[in-house]
Amino acid sequence: MAIVSAPFGKEYCDEWVKQAKEYDQSKMGVKGLLDSGVTTIPSIFTHPSEDLNDLKPSSRNLEIPIIDLSMMINDRLKIAHQIKESFSSWGFFQVINHGIPIQVIEETIKAFKCFHEEPMIKDRYVWDEKVSYYSNFNIFKSKAVNWKDSLRVLTSPNPPEKETIPNVCRKELMAWDEYMKSLCETLMELMCEGLGVSSNRLKELSCLQMRKLLCHSYPYCPQPDLTMGLPTHTDRGLLTLLLQNEVSGLQVKYDDEWVEVKPIPGAIIVNVGDLLQSVEHRVLANPYKEPRISVAVIFNPGKCDESDYYGPLPELLSQENPGLYRNFTIPEILGHEQTDNCVKIIVDLCKISGQGIEEIAN
């Protein structure tokens, strides 16, 4: 039998590649598999043992920070400091009282759930680079197929034609993208204020310009100990803003332990991506009958030419406080699948807080 060399040193046989390709092209998704009556997961979904050895969260009573944005009215500087400290220590936090009506949140989750639970196979839609549907973004660069279904829409700077977005969630998707843009602008301003630089500094660097929206559905899994919703990863971006329903599953790596991110009704989860620092997280396969729904909007700088350099902000540097990382372009970063930590920085958050990237990421 011919052997196909795959990424990460794993070898896949022709049969695995054939089955994965057939599944990916069918657009039936995990939901379609369940609707067809499967009671065990197909072998292409079985993840390697190193991904499955330690699925339980920490026994310590740990929780990611919760930040109440309504307190900005009374003490904006305090909230800016909380955000800086949360990013420096955890890389994750949840925001509450952010101003988005709970009715909007409920309607958004409902619309995306309706899309993922449509009874028909998703091959009736026309998918392209701007609007796509998959379980793994690049299935042949993965260790195994993930037990999830994803709708991906590149919303900015060049959005798709409205008609190419599934009608069942089109209105809610476009509205949610605008809500997240507004919230992210506020958070970036607070980040800058916490660092002691101009509140518009990240906006000036075009950090609000490039956005993609990912709506994941994690259906019930009959064998959750054999697969993953999303294996351990970091987000390739600047900031991610995530909405999730009441079904848990997201875990964050902290002090070499996995900490469950407990759902808070109406809260938005915020985490830094590789352009700030690397924060490992994962999503377990869903053992519950109710699907886990999450909606992520990932922000990246819009200036991505070879002449657009990013690095530690000059106004934060001095002889006593030199930059730890050299300047890089976005194409240079994106050209490295397995990049080391020295390229994962725009703002020297960890330096300012007295911690190095390595202390948080490892």
Side-chain angles (χ1 to χ4, degrees):
M1 177 180 291
I3 299 296
V4 179
S5 294
F8 311 104
K10 182 175 173 61
E11 293 185 335
Y12 293 108
C13 69
D14 286 343
E15 185 61 26
W16 192 99
V17 173
K18 177 184 176 184
Q19 291 180 20
K21 184 176 181 180
E22 289 176 351
Y23 167 75
D24 189 51
Q25 292 181 344
S26 75
K27 299 303 179 188
M28 69 186 309
V30 170
K31 177 62 165 53
L33 288 175
L34 291 170
D35 288 345
S36 72
V38 300
T39 56
T40 59
I41 66 171
S43 61
I44 58 173
F45 290 90
T46 301
H47 279 248
S49 58
E50 60 264 27
D51 289 346
L52 305 170
N53 285 336
D54 184 24
L55 297 181
K56 292 183 178 180
S58 171
S59 58
R60 294 192 291 165
N61 189 26
L62 296 172
E63 293 187 9
I64 68 171
I66 299 171
I67 296 178
D68 185 349
L69 288 188
S70 69
M71 300 301 292
M72 284 194 304
I73 299 174
N74 299 320
D75 197 340
R76 185 180 176 95
L77 186 59
K78 179 180 179 180
I79 297 301
H81 178 74
Q82 288 179 355
I83 288 176
K84 190 193 87 166
E85 291 302 311
S86 297
F87 275 150
S88 298
S89 57
W90 281 85
F92 267 78
F93 59 85
Q94 297 202 63
V95 290
I96 59 174
N97 296 325
H98 40 63
I100 302 174
I102 190 66
Q103 181 180 355
V104 170
I105 290 174
E106 291 173 349
E107 289 174 352
T108 300
I109 292 175
K110 180 181 178 181
F112 284 118
K113 182 180 178 182
C114 286
F115 164 76
H116 282 292
E117 296 201 334
E118 286 180 320
M120 70 287 291
I121 294 176
K122 302 298 190 293
D123 64 355
R124 75 182 181 93
Y125 294 107
V126 177
W127 305 111
D128 55 29
E129 291 184 357
K130 292 185 178 181
V131 183
S132 53
Y133 176 79
Y134 53 84
S135 291
N136 295 52
F137 179 64
N138 192 329
I139 200 167
F140 301 111
K141 288 189 176 181
S142 306
K143 298 178 182 180
V145 183
N146 299 324
W147 196 261
K148 71 169 178 63
D149 298 324
S150 299
L151 172 66
R152 174 179 179 263
V153 180
L154 305 184
T155 57
S156 179
N158 300 305
E161 296 293 332
K162 293 180 181 179
E163 294 73 20
T164 65
I165 301 173
N167 183 60
V168 68
C169 59
R170 182 183 302 155
K171 180 182 73 172
E172 290 80 6
L173 184 152
M174 296 172 65
W176 190 251
D177 179 62
E178 289 298 322
Y179 275 112
M180 290 299 96
K181 178 184 175 183
S182 177
L183 177 57
C184 191
E185 184 170 4
T186 298
L187 293 172
M188 285 187 183
E189 289 176 354
L190 290 165
M191 287 170 60
C192 291
E193 293 166 20
L195 289 170
V197 300
S198 167
S199 61
N200 289 328
R201 193 66 172 92
L202 289 176
K203 187 176 181 179
E204 292 170 355
L205 289 169
S206 76
C207 293
L208 282 166
Q209 289 184 12
M210 186 174 291
R211 301 188 303 280
K212 62 181 175 182
L213 185 147
L214 300 166
C215 176
H216 303 306
S217 173
Y218 301 86
Y220 164 72
C221 181
Q223 295 175 293
D225 56 331
L226 297 181
T227 188
M228 297 288 293
L230 266 175
T232 302
H233 67 286
T234 60
D235 287 353
R236 181 179 285 187
L238 181 77
L239 283 184
T240 299
L241 274 59
L242 180 87
L243 171 67
Q244 63 176 352
N245 68 351
E246 71 280 4
V247 180
S248 62
L250 175 62
Q251 295 181 346
V252 176
K253 194 73 169 288
Y254 180 76
D255 281 349
D256 291 325
E257 294 185 276
W258 288 105
V259 178
E260 180 183 357
V261 181
K262 298 177 181 178
I264 299 175
I268 305 297
I269 299 165
V270 184
N271 70 272
V272 293
D274 289 345
L275 296 180
L276 285 174
Q277 67 188 52
S278 296
V279 182
E280 291 186 330
H281 50 289
R282 66 186 184 185
V283 180
L284 305 186
N286 179 17
Y288 308 107
K289 295 298 183 181
E290 180 71 14
R292 179 178 186 270
I293 303 294
S294 68
V295 186
V297 178
I298 301 177
F299 290 80
N300 268 305
K303 297 179 180 179
C304 298
D305 293 335
E306 294 287 353
S307 59
D308 296 314
Y309 281 88
Y310 296 89
L313 295 177
E315 57 265 49
L316 297 179
L317 305 180
S318 65
Q319 286 187 340
E320 296 75 26
N321 189 39
L324 299 178
Y325 311 96
R326 70 176 177 86
N327 291 342
F328 278 80
T329 65
I330 299 299
E332 189 175 9
I333 294 174
L334 297 181
H336 293 78
E337 285 285 336
Q338 300 297 316
T339 181
D340 77 27
N341 287 328
C342 71
V343 304
K344 295 174 178 177
I345 192 77
I346 286 180
V347 181
D348 204 350
L349 276 173
C350 294
K351 176 65 175 177
I352 299 303
S353 68
Q355 291 181 292
I357 289 284
E358 295 82 1
E359 296 176 61
I360 295 174
N362 298 328

